[in-house]
Every structure is written in C-alpha cells, then in structure tokens.
Amino acid sequence: MQADDRSLAFQALRQAAWLQGYPDDLVHRLVGEGRLVRLNVGEWAQAEGDDRPGLSVVIAGQLHSYCAAPGDREVLIGLVGPGSVIGHATRYSGGPRLVTAVCVEPSTFLELSEEALDRIGSQAPIIWQAMAGFAYAHMRSAVRMAAEVISLRPRERIAARLLAFHDHVQTADRHVIKVSQELLGEMMGLTRKTINQHLSSFERAGLIRLGYGKIELADVGGLKLIADRVV
C-alpha cells in the first residue's frame, strides 16, 4: 500500500466511531495488515448471504445497504459512509453477511482477512473489544429503527431517520444525505406522496434543502425537536 493510501486509510479509521478511544497503534496495525479495494458506482461491495471471510471497512465513498423483504423484494435499510464496517468476519459473527451493499459513488474499502485479524489480535487483543463495539452499534441502530416504526408518526419518523443518517456518516459532508425520496419512502414503509409532503414542509421551514437524489440537512437542531416530539 502506498504512503498516500495508508494516510487516507488511517484518517478514515481514526475518525470512525467504533475506534474512538482506541490507540493509534491499533489503527496503524489495521492499516498495515489490510489491502485497499476500489469499486465504481453500481458495483456491489458484498451480497446478503455472502460467507466471504474477513472484515471490510469503508475508507471513502458512500453505499446503500439493502436486505431481503417479504414478496421477494430488496429494501433499503441504511446509508454507509467512511469508517463504517460493512463486511464482518463471518468466523466470529456466527453467520453470513446480512445485507447487500451497493456503491452510490466511487468507493474505497480496507479489507482484512481473518488471518490478518488473528495476527493483530495476538499483538493487540484490544481489537476484539473494538469489533464487539461496532457489532453493538449495528444492533443498536436496528433497535432504534424498530422503535421509530413503532412509536413515531410519519413526520417524526422521517426527521428521526434523517438524523440517524447524519449521525452514522463521519465525514465533513455528512449534512448531505444521498438518497432519493422514493428510496427513503421504501425504506420507511411510506408512500412517495407522504414523504414528499413532509420533506416539502421541512424545506419550507428551512430545516432541509432538497436536491436531485439528495437531501441537505440545514437545521439539525430543528429536526431533532421534531423527532423528539417537542414541536
């Protein structure tokens, strides 16, 4: 891996939420043991049911993650950005990969084999704690989505989901959510008409700015008031 690539990978991992609080030495070991893979728009980083071993972390770019739903459908369940783990080590997780991840812009990944993880673990056992941390974060995200569906009305649920996207992406442009209104509606079980109605209301209130295939969050605090049922 060239010096520029190592620097890019280190910076992305250093900013990743699941590695906050861990020493630089661990991040350097991950970069040193990994290899970079680059994919273009529309290419799959992984498929649901894939039992390919190893760990895959997004270094640059953005992806949509899908899972199978009743009726032989694939539904969008999330956005994935730099620092996020999309491919878990199947030997340690207990099963195949749970989602299909598709690039919506040119993307770069750091891939680590299970042998590489074993080598890191022998010298820095704290890696297993970090991996447990991102597994917990994934579970917490799934629980949060279920709670939104059960407890929130559409207006509040849309605001909460936009905030979840914002919180999940750890980059300078995380205020820009790259998802169409159609996909957002599919993800939330709402019609495009309902999604458009509420997003248009948010835009008139100065909370967001709508663009082609994207939603820019202009007032995160205002959206949080809606999601928390304060207004």
Side-chain angles (χ1 to χ4, degrees):
M1 193 184 301
Q2 297 181 353
D4 288 348
D5 288 338
R6 285 197 300 272
S7 177
L8 175 68
F10 179 85
Q11 292 302 321
L13 292 181
R14 187 65 286 174
Q15 296 175 29
W18 63 281
L19 285 170
Q20 295 304 300
Y22 290 94
D24 284 353
D25 175 68
L26 176 60
V27 181
H28 282 300
R29 288 180 185 275
L30 290 168
V31 173
E33 288 284 0
R35 70 184 186 96
L36 289 187
V37 175
R38 291 180 171 86
L39 297 178
N40 293 316
V41 175
E43 291 192 278
W44 289 23
Q46 68 176 39
E48 183 177 356
D50 187 354
D51 60 0
R52 178 163 49 96
L55 196 68
S56 183
V57 186
V58 182
I59 299 302
Q62 192 171 104
L63 301 92
H64 287 171
S65 59
Y66 298 84
C67 73
D72 196 28
R73 295 183 302 128
E74 290 284 323
V75 296
L76 178 70
I77 61 169
L79 305 183
V80 184
S84 300
V85 177
I86 59 165
H88 55 274
T90 54
R91 187 204 308 173
Y92 309 114
S93 65
R97 299 183 178 183
L98 300 174
V99 301
T100 296
V102 183
C103 300
V104 294
E105 59 186 39
S107 301
T108 303
F109 309 86
L110 181 72
E111 294 201 339
L112 293 120
S113 67
E114 291 185 344
E115 292 75 18
L117 292 172
D118 286 340
R119 287 193 294 271
I120 295 171
S122 67
Q123 299 295 321
I126 199 171
I127 181 60
W128 309 123
Q129 182 178 332
M131 289 175 62
F134 75 67
Y136 175 80
H138 285 182
M139 181 172 63
R140 182 179 59 190
S141 177
V143 170
R144 176 179 176 178
M145 182 181 291
E148 290 171 6
V149 171
I150 293 169
S151 66
L152 298 181
R153 295 169 298 189
R155 177 173 179 265
E156 299 154 355
R157 191 162 16 128
I158 294 168
R161 197 86 311 252
L162 293 176
L163 290 171
F165 291 152
H166 172 269
D167 293 343
H168 188 66
V169 178
Q170 303 295 314
T171 60
D173 63 347
R174 63 182 183 153
H175 284 72
V176 179
I177 310 301
K178 296 178 181 177
V179 63
S180 69
Q181 295 184 41
E182 182 178 2
L183 283 176
L184 183 62
E186 179 181 305
M187 177 185 202
M188 304 181 68
L190 299 172
T191 66
R192 183 172 182 176
K193 180 179 179 181
T194 298
I195 289 287
N196 181 262
Q197 174 186 342
H198 289 294
L199 290 180
S200 295
S201 174
F202 291 170
E203 186 171 42
R204 288 193 299 271
L207 302 175
I208 65 172
R209 286 185 285 270
L210 297 174
Y212 181 75
K214 65 182 181 181
I215 303 167
E216 182 179 355
L217 307 191
D219 184 352
V220 172
L223 289 170
K224 189 173 190 307
L225 290 176
I226 293 173
D228 290 345
R229 295 181 168 181
V230 176
V231 297

